[in-house]
Amino acid sequence: MAIIPKNLLVQREQQLLIDVVIDVWTFRKRGHNELDEPSFTQPAMYKRINSRKSIPAMYEGKLIESGELTREKADKVRKQWLESLNIAFADSFSCNPVDPTRPPGWSKLGAPHEYPTEEATGVNTNELSNIGVKSVTTSESVTVHPRIERFHIKPRLKKLQEGAGLDWATAEALAFGSLLAEGYNVRLSGQDVGRGTFSQRHAMLVCQETEKVYVPLNHMDADSQEQRMGKLEVVNSNLCEGAVVGFEYGVSVEDPFTLAIWEAQFGDFYNNSQTMFDGYIVSGETKWGQQNGLVLLLPHGFDGGGPDHSSCRLERHLQLSNDPVDGHTDAMPNIYVTYPTTPAQFFHLLRRQVKRNFRKPLIVAAPKTMLRLASATSALNEMSPGTCFKPVLDDPTTRDPHSVKRVMVVSGKLYYDLAKLKNENPLGEHVAIVRVEELTPFPRRELFHVLSRYDNATDFVWVQEEPRNAGAYAFAAPRIKSMLPQHTTLRYVGRSEHAATCSGVETQQAAEHVQLTTEAFDGLRGLVADLVIDSIATQHEKQHDKPASVISASVSHRWASRAVYAAHSSDH
């Protein structure tokens, strides 16, 4: 009975381009389940509900009254329908489900069965430079805000010309533009994503006189008539995260060759869409065989924003991953969770998402302070042909791996604070800081390959800025411990357990940060003394032609005890 007004309102909506709200009142006729009886607590209401005829019975009576249906025909149709239901129920016990019917495009993709190798996602640097210029080129009819001209357009053009110092927004634009040039569509949705929460993106430029919207990347010229250019769709959505995330999930399911991205204004805003994460995004493939490639950018980082604007709840996303703790299988987990620390890594992540022959949801702990951090920039050649995303980044400042006694394992922006302190510490050369950029699937082989280079290291530490009951520690610790040498453990350095994500007092938060970064370097002098003693003992044994000591032998060969990782480490 609601079909006629619904069609009428939809038609009016399309004609007048106005929003239409249909207010429908419904009621539950039965209880919540077979054992429930709603009249236990609502007797008066359910007396009235039970006295009503059902809608099918009312419709049947109307058809019989009008002569369009006889009572005998109605009984026959009802009997046939019940018989078909009983047959279907009996058949369900021997049902062998087949792959569900999918929208066009999915037939070109496959299902991932094993851990894939990282393939090159780089692009010719001349092409990237041209795309970067196009990303800030406007029409003559568009008057750009002077601050955007000064702090966004001119700096980007300068960095592109230099080929170095590229920030995150530039790397993102290069990823978008290169995908558009290859025929992929890109859809970016979220609160104020056009300019970005931190005024870093400016993917859409609004004329200051006419408010006309101009999307520069949609005005790139094709190299030939045969080249099909994709489209960048920038959607500034409202603060209804559950509805918006659900819609973007639908986009990623409907078209696997559109890079669908939802960006939260702050990482913890995703909380309002938790049911979409739990019920669809991370479990849809297991429940229905339905892959999706939705990208979720969740700004994350403890930088004085308080407990409601600091954490994207990495621990919750990692808890939703079915990545095995002991690494007993090479089967692909259900989701990717990453915390990249360079613009180039972010560039490769976005391109990898649609260049692969399968789809998995990608959750990115996105940058905040790193957006404008001078040390968190990339060169153009880091996105050139032959380059790809790296799940683990070794310490680029390590000169002699054999002199390293402490290995810090970290994920995310805290790396830059630790790297600065290492550079200032006179014993910093004996410390290596290893970054885990991809948390799930956990990069066991890649991490083992890096850690095993430090054959004299005896102190392994996981350092994080999140509280101990949050962040990636609980997820990463058992996986890292399983690959460390025997008689070696993984220490924790970071905030203690908190009920909230962090303190709401900025001075307290800053003091905690100083404390944990200082603690990360405590005790170095003793470790280095052990290294010197071992070195002297080894030289003495060589001079006097004595067999190597038990201690030296254990240090030298202890990594070989992890054969399950060592057997594959040479491949990475």
Side-chain angles (χ1 to χ4, degrees):
M1 297 180 66
I3 295 176
I4 295 177
K6 173 187 171 185
N7 291 342
L8 179 63
L9 290 173
V10 170
Q11 184 181 17
R12 181 64 57 88
E13 177 188 39
Q14 294 173 343
Q15 290 175 345
L16 302 180
L17 300 178
I18 59 174
D19 292 333
V20 173
V21 177
I22 302 176
D23 191 6
V24 180
W25 286 69
T26 63
F27 59 84
R28 183 193 296 272
K29 185 172 178 65
R30 310 292 180 189
H32 297 287
N33 52 59
E34 290 82 355
L35 300 178
D36 184 38
E37 175 53 63
S39 63
F40 289 158
T41 54
Q42 297 163 297
M45 183 171 71
Y46 273 88
K47 186 176 292 184
R48 293 186 61 186
I49 289 175
N50 291 330
S51 67
R52 293 170 56 94
K53 285 186 176 180
S54 68
I55 292 177
M58 293 169 62
Y59 187 52
E60 177 185 322
K62 184 176 181 180
L63 292 176
I64 292 174
E65 183 181 349
S66 64
E68 298 181 54
L69 183 69
T70 65
R71 178 73 62 183
E72 293 76 14
K73 178 66 174 176
D75 292 340
K76 182 179 179 181
V77 170
R78 186 181 300 104
K79 182 180 179 181
Q80 290 175 341
W81 177 244
L82 289 174
E83 287 177 351
S84 70
L85 291 178
N86 288 328
I87 293 172
F89 178 71
D91 291 343
S92 68
F93 291 98
S94 58
C95 177
N96 185 19
V98 296
D99 290 339
T101 303
R102 298 174 179 174
W106 284 102
S107 60
K108 300 176 183 178
L109 301 173
H113 298 294
E114 294 183 355
Y115 192 98
T117 56
E118 294 294 340
E119 297 185 3
T121 47
V123 179
N124 181 278
T125 53
N126 289 331
E127 293 180 21
L128 290 178
S129 184
N130 291 334
I131 290 170
V133 172
K134 288 286 187 180
S135 71
V136 288
T137 301
T138 63
S139 167
E140 293 181 357
S141 61
V142 176
T143 302
V144 178
H145 194 288
R147 287 174 58 187
I148 295 178
E149 179 74 33
R150 180 181 177 186
F151 297 109
H152 179 72
I153 296 178
K154 289 183 178 179
R156 176 172 295 185
L157 294 175
K158 182 176 182 293
K159 296 298 183 182
L160 286 167
Q161 188 175 14
E162 296 170 350
L166 303 180
D167 60 18
W168 292 75
T170 301
E172 181 186 75
L174 297 182
F176 288 172
S178 59
L179 289 173
L180 297 177
E182 295 175 28
Y184 297 98
N185 295 321
V186 178
R187 177 181 168 88
L188 177 64
S189 170
Q191 298 91 6
D192 289 321
V193 293
R195 68 175 187 266
T197 298
F198 310 98
S199 293
Q200 85 283 2
R201 179 174 288 120
H202 301 295
M204 55 179 279
L205 301 173
V206 179
C207 179
Q208 297 300 295
E209 297 178 358
T210 65
E211 291 198 351
K212 175 185 176 182
V213 175
Y214 187 86
V215 180
L217 286 176
N218 282 336
H219 295 272
M220 295 192 301
D221 297 325
D223 294 334
S224 63
Q225 293 182 347
E226 293 76 20
Q227 183 181 11
R228 174 191 172 275
M229 299 292 291
K231 179 183 178 182
L232 171 60
E233 190 175 7
V234 183
V235 184
N236 290 322
S237 64
N238 55 20
L239 282 165
C240 295
E241 288 85 357
V244 177
V245 171
F247 187 88
E248 301 309 325
Y249 168 78
V251 171
S252 69
V253 166
E254 184 67 24
D255 183 4
F257 293 100
T258 288
L259 178 62
I261 303 172
W262 177 72
E263 181 179 65
Q265 198 167 45
F266 288 90
D268 38 12
F269 284 23
Y270 95 94
N271 286 340
N272 295 324
S273 58
Q274 188 72 57
T275 53
M276 291 298 169
F277 277 69
D278 294 351
Y280 296 89
I281 297 171
V282 306
S283 60
E285 185 175 5
T286 299
K287 293 192 290 189
W288 314 302
Q290 178 62 70
Q291 296 182 42
N292 78 88
L294 182 61
V295 178
L296 301 127
L297 303 182
L298 310 179
H300 177 85
F302 289 44
D303 44 29
D308 297 320
H309 293 83
S310 296
S311 176
C312 74
R313 292 289 189 177
L314 275 170
E315 65 279 3
R316 292 184 182 174
H317 305 304
L318 294 173
Q319 191 177 42
L320 293 172
S321 169
N322 61 357
D323 181 272
V325 175
D326 57 4
H328 63 272
T329 175
D330 278 339
M332 283 293 298
N334 54 329
I335 56 174
Y336 277 77
V337 178
T338 63
Y339 197 171
T341 56
T342 73
Q345 287 279 81
F346 186 48
F347 167 87
H348 290 299
L349 270 178
L350 294 174
R351 286 185 50 80
R352 184 183 75 171
Q353 190 68 0
V354 289
K355 299 297 287 184
R356 283 178 161 176
N357 66 341
F358 64 89
R359 295 292 178 264
K360 293 280 185 181
L362 170 63
I363 297 172
V364 181
K368 294 193 294 180
T369 55
M370 282 195 294
L371 289 169
R372 293 179 174 85
L373 188 63
S375 54
T377 57
S378 296
L380 204 57
N381 60 16
E382 295 177 58
M383 309 172 219
S384 62
T387 57
C388 64
F389 175 77
K390 298 177 181 179
V392 176
L393 293 179
D394 199 357
D395 193 329
T397 65
T398 299
R399 291 179 293 180
D400 179 14
H402 304 296
S403 69
V404 170
K405 289 296 290 180
R406 175 175 294 169
V407 177
M408 299 181 190
V409 186
V410 64
S411 186
K413 79 176 187 69
L414 184 61
Y415 162 77
Y416 292 102
D417 296 323
L418 296 174
K420 182 175 182 294
L421 290 176
K422 173 189 172 179
N423 184 57
E424 297 170 352
N425 194 305
L427 299 177
E429 63 180 298
H430 301 290
V431 175
I433 307 174
V434 177
R435 285 170 277 177
V436 179
E437 302 274 291
E438 185 170 86
L439 292 162
T440 180
F442 195 75
R444 293 170 175 82
R445 297 171 185 170
E446 295 89 341
L447 184 57
F448 178 85
H449 176 62
V450 171
L451 294 182
S452 59
R453 293 180 62 233
Y454 303 108
D455 51 4
N456 285 321
T458 57
D459 189 26
F460 296 87
V461 190
W462 176 272
V463 191
Q464 68 176 34
E465 60 180 356
E466 299 87 358
R468 187 165 187 157
N469 60 327
Y473 173 69
F475 181 87
R479 292 163 173 81
I480 296 176
K481 289 177 181 178
S482 69
M483 68 178 67
L484 292 180
Q486 293 179 351
H487 312 299
T488 306
T489 188
L490 180 72
R491 294 193 299 113
Y492 170 81
V493 171
R495 288 176 168 87
S496 60
E497 291 81 355
H498 283 190
T501 55
C502 66
S503 170
V505 180
E506 186 176 357
T507 53
Q508 180 181 342
Q509 190 177 143
E512 291 173 348
H513 184 81
V514 171
Q515 179 181 348
L516 75 89
T517 52
T518 302
E519 183 184 346
F521 289 89
D522 283 348
L524 264 182
R525 191 175 300 276
L527 289 173
V528 174
D530 291 341
L531 181 65
V532 173
I533 293 172
D534 285 346
S535 178
I536 293 173
T538 302
Q539 292 177 6
H540 178 75
E541 289 160 356
K542 288 182 179 179
Q543 290 174 358
H544 294 80
D545 197 22
K546 292 183 179 181
S549 68
V550 176
I551 295 178
S552 298
S554 66
V555 170
S556 177
H557 301 291
R558 58 205 178 110
W559 286 102
S561 64
R562 301 302 187 186
V564 64
Y565 301 108
H568 302 284
S569 63
S570 59
D571 299 333
H572 297 275

